[in-house]
Amino acid sequence: MQRARTGFTLIELITVLAIVAVLAAVALPSYQASIERGRRADAKALLMHVVSRQESLFTEMISYSSVYSDLGLTSDKSPEGHYQLHIETGPSGCGPAATKCTYFKVAAISLKSSDQCTRLSLDSRGTRSSAGADTDFCWR
């Protein structure tokens, strides 16, 4: 009497490995894109917070500011640490002791070199811009 063989054949194992490899090749780019979108949400939240604080400050002082502490910020990094904040005000030379700042542009610069959207910007007029990829793509 012969005993029944148990286990998998080499062909079955190779087939399963091929299927797993195809699934991984399809899923990995989608996963990485989701991770990047999540990181951009971190930058957008930071930008919206700064814009809100700038508008509050303008209501009180009739001037925008590029000083982080004036805006209630303790760091130039986004909450998750993926972006660095940069604030510009205008006209040139404006500030507390000089003329009032009537314009600002705030940018979140990616600290990850492989990010498609290397810079997201928002200004006092509500204009959105980006560097590295299409603005609509970066802001969706």
Side-chain angles (χ1 to χ4, degrees), residues 54-55 58 61-65 88-95 99-105 123-125:
Q54 286 280 29
E55 293 304 330
F58 191 81
M61 309 296 285
I62 311 175
S63 182
Y64 294 117
S65 177
E88 299 172 15
T89 55
S92 180
C94 69
T99 61
K100 301 285 186 186
C101 298
T102 58
Y103 172 81
F104 74 86
K105 184 173 187 175
D123 68 17
S124 55
R125 296 179 187 108

Side-chain angles (χ1 to χ4, degrees), residues 54-120:
Q54 286 280 29
E55 293 304 330
S56 294
L57 185 67
F58 191 81
T59 301
E60 295 171 20
M61 309 296 285
I62 311 175
S63 182
Y64 294 117
S65 177
S66 61
V67 179
Y68 295 131
S69 60
D70 289 350
L71 302 170
L73 300 171
T74 57
S75 172
D76 67 341
K77 301 281 189 292
S78 62
E80 298 295 322
H82 301 294
Y83 287 81
Q84 184 172 2
L85 182 66
H86 179 72
I87 303 170
E88 299 172 15
T89 55
S92 180
C94 69
T99 61
K100 301 285 186 186
C101 298
T102 58
Y103 172 81
F104 74 86
K105 184 173 187 175
V106 59
I109 302 163
S110 177
L111 297 175
K112 185 178 176 199
S113 61
S114 63
D115 193 352
Q116 290 180 342
C117 302
T118 56
R119 181 182 181 110
L120 296 172

